[in-house]
Amino acid sequence: MNKDRKAMYVSILALIIAVVGVSIAYAALSTSLKVTFGKVTRSAFVWEVKLSKGEVPGTASGTNTTTCGTATVSESSVTVDAVTLSKPGDKCSYPITVQNKGDIDANITNIAATSPSGIPCDNTVEGKLSCGNVTYKLTSDSEGLNVLKKGTQRVLKNNGTADFYLVVSYDVSANALNQEVTHTGAGFTVVYGQAN
């Protein structure tokens, strides 16, 4: 029995020596590799979404007494000269071009309407401002049928362009009034942001 124990201890010792020997041999065959980054620069994206500058004449439709003032477009704003709408169905439309000279696609993230001074308006539809018988819209078509909303109108990066239209109209279903009404200061603020 003592002999069996001795043989078992010798076997265990031999197994331990073998495991240690293999570990040493493996360690002798291993190699450490070092990886080092040199200079890493994260370049900044260029964000440059702006309007195409110039003078934009309005396109009149309706009666021949409709007068569409010229829209003066800077890189960040549009100012429309005096408009005269005399009968239901009269309309002025202005094509405006948005340019994206940056590195990221853009689209509309917000549209806020501004009512004319002292005139109550309904702006529950984004991109549309209804003030009595006069309606102001931002649309994707010159007829004023497709109102712009946030998440629409993608402007592709690297010199992409997109057009929208400013449309002001005398509500076609309104009754002609015999009193003059003047609106001053109506408009929209359109915010473009990074497209997802």
Side-chain angles (χ1 to χ4, degrees):
M1 179 110 162
N2 214 358
K3 234 182 194 188
D4 288 337
R5 274 191 168 172
K6 209 181 226 189
M8 183 177 78
Y9 289 140
V10 169
S11 296
I12 290 174
L13 184 58
L15 188 57
I16 290 173
I17 290 173
V19 168
V20 170
V22 169
S23 296
I24 291 171
Y26 176 76
L29 295 176
S30 66
T31 304
S32 295
L33 300 175
K34 185 175 181 183
V35 177
T36 304
F37 289 96
K39 182 178 180 181
V40 176
T41 303
R42 184 191 60 83
S43 15
F45 282 111
V46 174
W47 179 260
E48 192 176 346
V49 176
K50 57 188 178 182
L51 299 172
S52 187
K53 296 191 302 187
E55 301 279 317
V56 178
T59 301
S61 60
T63 60
N64 59 4
T65 56
T66 303
T67 305
C68 300
T70 300
T72 303
V73 184
S74 73
E75 289 184 349
S76 61
S77 67
V78 179
T79 304
V80 180
D81 289 338
V83 172
T84 302
L85 307 171
S86 57
K87 292 192 175 144
D90 286 358
K91 178 179 4 184
C92 291
S93 177
Y94 301 86
I96 306 298
T97 300
V98 180
Q99 300 175 313
N100 185 355
K101 296 192 176 211
D103 299 327
I104 304 168
D105 288 355
N107 67 6
I108 295 173
T109 58
N110 192 39
I111 299 174
T114 303
S115 297
S117 301
I119 307 287
C121 297
D122 174 13
N123 66 346
T124 54
V125 176
E126 191 175 28
K128 180 179 176 183
L129 184 63
S130 298
C131 306
N133 293 329
V134 177
T135 302
Y136 303 87
K137 294 180 188 175
L138 294 174
T139 65
S140 60
D141 63 305
S142 62
E143 293 301 310
L145 302 175
N146 301 303
V147 177
L148 292 179
K149 297 178 177 130
K150 66 181 167 188
T152 63
Q153 188 155 102
R154 190 176 195 98
V155 188
L156 299 177
K157 63 185 176 182
N158 300 324
N159 295 316
T161 61
D163 292 328
F164 68 81
Y165 294 84
L166 300 175
V167 180
V168 58
S169 61
Y170 194 141
D171 187 355
V172 72
S173 63
N175 294 323
L177 300 175
N178 61 358
Q179 96 184 46
E180 185 175 291
V181 177
T182 301
H183 293 189
T184 305
F188 296 95
T189 300
V190 182
V191 179
Y192 283 84
Q194 179 177 339
N196 296 328

